[in-house]
mmCIF file of all heavy atoms in Angstrom:
data_model
loop_
_atom_site.group_PDB
_atom_site.id
_atom_site.type_symbol
_atom_site.label_atom_id
_atom_site.label_comp_id
_atom_site.label_asym_id
_atom_site.label_seq_id
_atom_site.Cartn_x
_atom_site.Cartn_y
_atom_site.Cartn_z
ATOM 1 N N LYS A 30 -7.529 11.948 -0.649
ATOM 2 C CA LYS A 30 -7.816 12.718 0.567
ATOM 3 C C LYS A 30 -8.044 14.187 0.210
ATOM 4 O O LYS A 30 -8.990 14.804 0.689
ATOM 5 C CB LYS A 30 -6.662 12.577 1.557
ATOM 6 C CG LYS A 30 -6.923 13.241 2.887
ATOM 7 C CD LYS A 30 -5.782 13.004 3.850
ATOM 8 C CE LYS A 30 -6.055 13.648 5.188
ATOM 9 N NZ LYS A 30 -4.951 13.435 6.122
ATOM 10 N N SER A 31 -7.206 14.733 -0.656
ATOM 11 C CA SER A 31 -7.339 16.131 -1.067
ATOM 12 C C SER A 31 -8.652 16.387 -1.788
ATOM 13 O O SER A 31 -9.258 17.446 -1.648
ATOM 14 C CB SER A 31 -6.173 16.540 -1.974
ATOM 15 O OG SER A 31 -4.962 16.480 -1.269
ATOM 16 N N SER A 32 -9.115 15.404 -2.572
ATOM 17 C CA SER A 32 -10.355 15.568 -3.334
ATOM 18 C C SER A 32 -11.589 15.343 -2.457
ATOM 19 O O SER A 32 -12.712 15.579 -2.900
ATOM 20 C CB SER A 32 -10.384 14.597 -4.515
ATOM 21 O OG SER A 32 -10.594 13.271 -4.064
ATOM 22 N N GLY A 33 -11.384 14.869 -1.222
ATOM 23 C CA GLY A 33 -12.493 14.626 -0.318
ATOM 24 C C GLY A 33 -13.036 13.214 -0.367
ATOM 25 O O GLY A 33 -13.963 12.873 0.363
ATOM 26 N N ALA A 34 -12.487 12.368 -1.236
ATOM 27 C CA ALA A 34 -12.966 10.992 -1.354
ATOM 28 C C ALA A 34 -12.606 10.157 -0.121
ATOM 29 O O ALA A 34 -13.316 9.221 0.224
ATOM 30 C CB ALA A 34 -12.407 10.338 -2.613
ATOM 31 N N LEU A 35 -11.512 10.509 0.521
ATOM 32 C CA LEU A 35 -11.082 9.799 1.727
ATOM 33 C C LEU A 35 -10.975 10.782 2.885
ATOM 34 O O LEU A 35 -10.428 11.866 2.728
ATOM 35 C CB LEU A 35 -9.715 9.150 1.515
ATOM 36 C CG LEU A 35 -9.649 7.929 0.630
ATOM 37 C CD1 LEU A 35 -8.205 7.496 0.436
ATOM 38 C CD2 LEU A 35 -10.461 6.787 1.195
ATOM 39 N N ARG A 36 -11.495 10.345 4.037
ATOM 40 C CA ARG A 36 -11.388 11.149 5.257
ATOM 41 C C ARG A 36 -11.257 10.210 6.443
ATOM 42 O O ARG A 36 -11.762 9.100 6.420
ATOM 43 C CB ARG A 36 -12.647 11.988 5.468
ATOM 44 C CG ARG A 36 -12.837 13.061 4.469
ATOM 45 C CD ARG A 36 -13.967 13.975 4.906
ATOM 46 N NE ARG A 36 -14.373 14.762 3.748
ATOM 47 C CZ ARG A 36 -15.589 14.788 3.264
ATOM 48 N NH1 ARG A 36 -16.548 14.110 3.834
ATOM 49 N NH2 ARG A 36 -15.871 15.522 2.216
ATOM 50 N N GLY A 37 -10.607 10.694 7.466
ATOM 51 C CA GLY A 37 -10.580 9.952 8.715
ATOM 52 C C GLY A 37 -9.894 8.608 8.648
ATOM 53 O O GLY A 37 -10.402 7.633 9.180
ATOM 54 N N PHE A 38 -8.757 8.549 7.975
ATOM 55 C CA PHE A 38 -8.026 7.280 7.928
ATOM 56 C C PHE A 38 -6.593 7.486 8.382
ATOM 57 O O PHE A 38 -6.041 8.574 8.260
ATOM 58 C CB PHE A 38 -8.060 6.669 6.523
ATOM 59 C CG PHE A 38 -7.256 7.410 5.499
ATOM 60 C CD1 PHE A 38 -5.973 7.000 5.171
ATOM 61 C CD2 PHE A 38 -7.780 8.512 4.853
ATOM 62 C CE1 PHE A 38 -5.227 7.679 4.225
ATOM 63 C CE2 PHE A 38 -7.037 9.195 3.899
ATOM 64 C CZ PHE A 38 -5.768 8.777 3.587
ATOM 65 N N ASP A 39 -6.009 6.447 8.910
ATOM 66 C CA ASP A 39 -4.618 6.464 9.356
ATOM 67 C C ASP A 39 -4.016 5.132 8.949
ATOM 68 O O ASP A 39 -4.367 4.095 9.508
ATOM 69 C CB ASP A 39 -4.558 6.645 10.868
ATOM 70 C CG ASP A 39 -3.127 6.674 11.388
ATOM 71 O OD1 ASP A 39 -2.228 7.089 10.636
ATOM 72 O OD2 ASP A 39 -2.912 6.269 12.539
ATOM 73 N N LEU A 40 -3.152 5.160 7.929
ATOM 74 C CA LEU A 40 -2.613 3.922 7.376
ATOM 75 C C LEU A 40 -1.104 3.913 7.352
ATOM 76 O O LEU A 40 -0.469 4.946 7.157
ATOM 77 C CB LEU A 40 -3.081 3.740 5.929
ATOM 78 C CG LEU A 40 -4.526 3.365 5.683
ATOM 79 C CD1 LEU A 40 -4.777 3.265 4.187
ATOM 80 C CD2 LEU A 40 -4.868 2.059 6.348
ATOM 81 N N ASP A 41 -0.569 2.722 7.492
ATOM 82 C CA ASP A 41 0.844 2.461 7.251
ATOM 83 C C ASP A 41 0.894 1.587 6.004
ATOM 84 O O ASP A 41 0.256 0.535 5.959
ATOM 85 C CB ASP A 41 1.463 1.743 8.451
ATOM 86 C CG ASP A 41 2.919 1.400 8.218
ATOM 87 O OD1 ASP A 41 3.640 2.235 7.642
ATOM 88 O OD2 ASP A 41 3.334 0.298 8.605
ATOM 89 N N VAL A 42 1.610 2.042 4.994
ATOM 90 C CA VAL A 42 1.725 1.306 3.733
ATOM 91 C C VAL A 42 3.162 0.837 3.582
ATOM 92 O O VAL A 42 4.090 1.626 3.691
ATOM 93 C CB VAL A 42 1.341 2.204 2.526
ATOM 94 C CG1 VAL A 42 1.454 1.426 1.221
ATOM 95 C CG2 VAL A 42 -0.051 2.784 2.697
#
Side-chain angles (χ1 to χ4, degrees):
K30 185 177 181 181
S31 296
S32 72
L35 287 175
R36 292 190 196 123
F38 70 97
D39 180 29
L40 287 179
D41 178 40
V42 180

